[in-house]
Amino acid sequence: MDETQRFITDNKQRFLDELLELLRIPSVSADPAYNQDVLNTAEKVAEFLNAAGADNVEVCETSGYPVVYGEKIIDPSLPTVLVYGHYDVQPADPMELWESGPFDPVIKKTEIHPEGAIFARGAADDKGQFFMHVKAFEAMNKSGELPCNIKFMIEGEEEVGSSSLGEFVRNNKEKLKNDIILISDTEIISNDQPSISVGLRGLSYVEVEVKGADLDMHSGVYGGAVPNPINVLSRMIAKLHDDDGRITIPGFYDEVEDLSAEDRAEMAKIPFDLEGYKKSIGIADIQGEKGYSTIERASIRPTLDVNGIWGGYTGKGAKTVIASHAYAKISMRLVPNQDPEKITQLFADYFPTLAPSSVEVIVKPHHGGHGYVLPTSDQGFQAAKKAMTHTFGKEALATRGGGSIPIVALFEKELGSKSVLMGFGLNSDVIHSPNENFGLFNFYKGIETIPYFFQYYTEG
Amino acid sequence: MDETQRFITDNKQRFLDELLELLRIPSVSADPAYNQDVLNTAEKVAEFLNAAGADNVEVCETSGYPVVYGEKIIDPSLPTVLVYGHYDVQPADPMELWESGPFDPVIKKTEIHPEGAIFARGAADDKGQFFMHVKAFEAMNKSGELPCNIKFMIEGEEEVGSSSLGEFVRNNKEKLKNDIILISDTEIISNDQPSISVGLRGLSYVEVEVKGADLDMHSGVYGGAVPNPINVLSRMIAKLHDDDGRITIPGFYDEVEDLSAEDRAEMAKIPFDLEGYKKSIGIADIQGEKGYSTIERASIRPTLDVNGIWGGYTGKGAKTVIASHAYAKISMRLVPNQDPEKITQLFADYFPTLAPSSVEVIVKPHHGGHGYVLPTSDQGFQAAKKAMTHTFGKEALATRGGGSIPIVALFEKELGSKSVLMGFGLNSDVIHSPNENFGLFNFYKGIETIPYFFQYYTEG
């Protein structure tokens, strides 16, 4: 891969400029206001694939946002790697907390990134990361060192549950046929400690509504005598956890995979600085399920978090009103073996039972997704480990990620192939938050490492 | 008062048109955006007082919104009635629930008001009600039947805690000197059953903030391991009531006035249709403190209600984020003898103790106010009762209101005079809510009744 690495070194600045171009388009899939921007981003991705030398590049229509496809088949008898990524991003709010425009990328040096990091929504999740693959492919291709076949599938609905991807995959099994799926949408432990995520949590996401009176009431005239949906919703949410931080939904833990003492001991080896962790996010203390370490709580244990809550008067000053409605968005992170549809149903059955007879409760399911585990014996994992170990000069560890990439379970089911989660981000990238950023070190390290994955995987 | 009543009959339409003019100005004191409108409303009120024949009309500067003053002293040896009211209104939101513009008053017939009701923010609270006094005064004055002296004090900060009124009253004791204060800012039981409010609840209002991490976090990466301010706030709010609906703040009930069995028996006489009550506001069931009737829960018992709550992602779609902050506005309705400052302090001391060590809690006090009781033996109450009984043709009952008019306690302290709460609204006026309305029957009945109050009070 010497030619390839030389090509990368010679084109570093251009690679970065092209990424910034991509980051300037606000492809927020959750907000219809950005509809055209999301579509424009798909076209832009197709352009880059063509420029990199991909064949049969296509912006594939779906019932939602398009999937961008491209491929390079050098020899049908050689293995085929399918690269998955997504070009859509999370909403940028709260806007006021961004130090620079979320869609106006800037390079700034930070403590963790002395050589600079790219600050922009999507810098790490996932534009910056899938783009590493486009550039690594370009480098291998233009250097004549592409060792096997490659296919790209870059979607635009990952942040809203990949609602159209299932249908797309089912309808294009032949086109998407592959031996291994390679995804960079996760983190490494640190820039000194490479790691590969071999486990992901699934997701169940619901929106709940508690309805009291038909309209907002005067809290003086009615206070104390009628149900207050906000107080009621608060009590219901409070009852979803017991005092040990365990989720109270009946049957919630039934299918939870219990890790062996060995596995837990293995996890305990992962370097973790609790004080640094607390300091990095500014919390006085950690909090979670009794009997588990912070790393376990954030990876192998299921969770329930309220992601948003609203009701009543939230403006300036004081309004003495009893709201007619209160709402919350609640998500549950699931571990392997927990079925999202089943968990969502368990929640929908249980939650209303926490309400008094005085109110109405509505539970609206959003998207969900299964958890996932990749055996460390898998050839894909081995190739990724060798590639990272080579470029970082330190042995890559296997970690379990807390986030969800629901589609990896879908891929296994529909395409019958495993996914390798070789991400190059850091927890400190604060994806989904203001000032999301992606280190230049990480961006370039990814581009350099990916070609070795292709080499080692092809060598088998 | 025959001439006066004739004058009223002859000018009904004009009185209504003038009120509509007043209702068209959006005098929302809680929202700085309406600053100029609030000031314009004060000027308009002064105009009407002048037109009605008041002397020394003045828009009095305060540290906040002005107080409009006016008087008619016919004979210093006669008693003086001070009329209090407020020209500011509650915010109109949620706007989308208004069937007509909140500041574009319309007359519509309803089941309760076959002869029509005025739909507009402030129609009943309190523009429509204080304006009855301006018109009753005009009628008595122009008919030469004003039996005693009258003073007007119409403020513009009642909906935001009358923050400047205390200072104004203390600085103008001589000017405001009076024998009795007359206020119409409360309800009657029904248009067939007149009543006078002899008790009001006080108010303590706080805003709370729960802070977790420094910024919003990815719920997949951090979920389960870090404090979620929304979940935490929900648990804290849930702990503010026990399972019997009693407030758990230590010392909260210490000064609560316990009504005698006789008083409670007297209250039980007030006609109350539970099914009709539930139906009128669209709730499946009532809810409140164990051991008390709905009327008691809404009048003689203190309460705690969350008036607003917000945090995290509340936009379209699903965002998997753990918010850094969660907020709530919480108000407590207090009964006579409960001191708002003390209760606010009890809350501020107790609330943070409900939080885990992982979060920071901030309690910001808003305005408050004392409860109030008027003895039914008071001459002012007797005059109001006789006046209402005369014009309604049915004996007026004494009720305890649930709302708060903090300034009545202030008046008693600073001016040494009692306040008579002779309101003409109905619970169904839905003040503070969308589609607030005030019956034409109630508007005119008020104008007709007030002169008799002056007559009976002067006769002593």
Side-chain angles (χ1 to χ4, degrees), chain B residues 84 155 158 161-162 165-166 183 405-412 419:
Chain B
Y84 163 86
E155 72 151 316
E158 199 273 343
S162 305
L165 195 68
I183 304 174
I405 306 185
I407 39 77
V408 296
L410 168 79
F411 294 157
E412 185 157 28
S419 295

Side-chain angles (χ1 to χ4, degrees), chain B residues 103-310:
Chain B
F103 302 108
D104 178 15
V106 294
I107 313 293
K108 277 189 295 185
K109 290 184 170 25
T110 71
E111 204 176 310
I112 302 164
H113 296 295
E115 70 297 318
I118 309 156
F119 284 78
R121 167 60 81 230
D125 178 18
D126 179 50
K127 285 174 176 171
Q129 294 219 62
F130 88 70
F131 199 65
M132 298 183 306
H133 291 271
V134 179
K135 297 296 105 180
F137 160 65
E138 178 183 338
M140 289 186 283
N141 188 40
K142 304 230 163 132
S143 321
E145 293 183 331
L146 182 64
C148 65
N149 308 312
I150 182 170
K151 294 176 176 177
F152 286 91
M153 171 172 56
I154 314 299
E155 72 151 316
E157 299 184 306
E158 199 273 343
E159 302 294 3
V160 288
S162 305
S163 25
S164 314
L165 195 68
E167 191 190 11
F168 176 80
V169 170
R170 276 187 291 281
N171 298 342
N172 295 278
K173 290 188 179 179
E174 196 42 48
K175 179 189 220 160
L176 301 172
K177 203 165 175 308
N178 67 81
D179 300 285
I180 189 78
I181 297 167
L182 184 59
I183 304 174
S184 294
D185 197 16
T186 48
E187 306 83 36
I188 50 177
I189 292 167
S190 76
N191 284 353
D192 309 322
Q193 180 55 68
S195 58
I196 297 138
S197 180
V198 295
L200 285 172
R201 289 196 285 192
L203 180 71
S204 165
Y205 200 113
V206 298
E207 190 161 319
V208 300
E209 170 184 344
V210 174
K211 188 246 174 209
D214 286 339
L215 71 178
D216 291 358
M217 315 293 295
H218 187 297
S219 72
V221 178
Y222 289 93
V226 302
N228 179 323
I230 302 177
N231 290 76
V232 169
L233 176 59
S234 298
R235 284 180 82 85
M236 293 169 76
I237 289 169
K239 288 177 182 160
L240 290 171
H241 287 94
D242 66 18
D243 293 341
D244 291 338
R246 279 179 69 86
I247 294 149
T248 57
I249 301 167
F252 184 83
Y253 291 96
D254 287 359
E255 272 87 26
V256 168
E257 162 206 52
D258 271 322
L259 260 69
S260 66
E262 294 67 31
D263 289 349
R264 291 185 68 182
E266 195 56 39
M267 286 193 78
K269 286 199 192 132
I270 297 170
F272 181 71
D273 164 18
L274 182 58
E275 286 316 307
Y277 178 84
K278 289 193 282 186
K279 193 161 160 295
S280 71
I281 56 177
I283 55 172
D285 200 357
I286 51 171
Q287 188 181 329
E289 185 182 2
K290 199 173 172 185
Y292 293 91
S293 72
T294 293
I295 287 180
E296 290 173 327
R297 287 166 171 175
S299 61
I300 62 166
R301 299 299 296 172
T303 70
L304 184 151
D305 275 297
V306 179
N307 301 111
I309 191 166
W310 67 103

Side-chain angles (χ1 to χ4, degrees), chain A residues 180-398:
Chain A
I180 190 76
I181 297 168
L182 184 58
I183 304 175
S184 294
D185 196 16
T186 48
E187 306 81 36
I188 51 177
I189 292 168
S190 76
N191 284 351
D192 309 320
Q193 180 54 69
S195 59
I196 296 140
S197 180
V198 295
L200 285 174
R201 290 195 284 191
L203 180 70
S204 165
Y205 200 113
V206 297
E207 190 161 319
V208 300
E209 171 184 343
V210 174
K211 188 246 173 207
D214 286 339
L215 71 178
D216 291 359
M217 316 291 295
H218 186 295
S219 73
V221 178
Y222 290 92
V226 302
N228 179 322
I230 301 176
N231 289 78
V232 169
L233 176 58
S234 298
R235 285 179 81 85
M236 294 168 75
I237 290 169
K239 289 178 181 161
L240 289 172
H241 288 93
D242 65 19
D243 294 341
D244 291 338
R246 278 179 70 86
I247 294 150
T248 57
I249 301 167
F252 184 83
Y253 291 96
D254 287 0
E255 272 88 27
V256 169
E257 160 207 55
D258 270 322
L259 260 69
S260 66
E262 294 67 29
D263 288 350
R264 291 185 67 181
E266 196 55 39
M267 286 193 78
K269 284 196 194 136
I270 297 171
F272 182 71
D273 164 17
L274 182 58
E275 286 316 307
Y277 178 83
K278 288 194 282 185
K279 191 160 161 297
S280 71
I281 55 177
I283 55 172
D285 200 356
I286 51 169
Q287 187 181 328
E289 185 181 4
K290 200 172 170 185
Y292 293 90
S293 72
T294 293
I295 288 181
E296 290 173 327
R297 288 166 171 176
S299 60
I300 63 164
R301 298 300 296 171
T303 70
L304 183 150
D305 274 297
V306 179
N307 301 110
I309 191 166
W310 67 102
Y313 184 68
T314 59
K316 281 202 188 66
K319 188 167 182 224
T320 51
V321 70
I322 295 178
S324 58
H325 291 72
Y327 305 84
K329 291 175 190 274
I330 300 175
S331 68
M332 288 157 280
R333 293 288 171 174
L334 312 178
V335 294
N337 305 338
Q338 281 186 298
D339 173 44
E341 283 64 39
K342 184 180 170 195
I343 294 295
T344 300
Q345 192 54 52
L346 288 177
F347 180 94
D349 293 342
Y350 177 61
F351 195 64
T353 67
L354 300 176
S357 58
S358 55
V359 299
E360 288 167 39
V361 178
I362 297 166
V363 176
K364 206 150 90 289
H366 277 285
H367 67 272
H370 287 76
Y372 174 77
V373 188
L374 175 72
T376 52
S377 59
D378 186 275
Q379 184 189 338
F381 173 81
Q382 289 301 328
K385 179 172 181 166
K386 279 165 77 178
M388 275 187 153
T389 303
H390 176 81
T391 56
F392 281 84
K394 186 164 183 188
E395 186 182 10
L397 301 172

Side-chain angles (χ1 to χ4, degrees), chain A residues 92-102 108 119 430 433-436, chain B residues 213-217 323-325 327:
Chain A
D93 65 289
M95 286 289 188
E96 64 276 14
L97 296 184
W98 283 82
E99 284 161 19
S100 56
K108 277 189 297 184
F119 283 78
V430 294
S433 299
N435 306 309
E436 172 180 354
Chain B
D214 286 339
L215 71 178
D216 291 358
M217 315 293 295
S324 59
H325 290 73
Y327 305 84

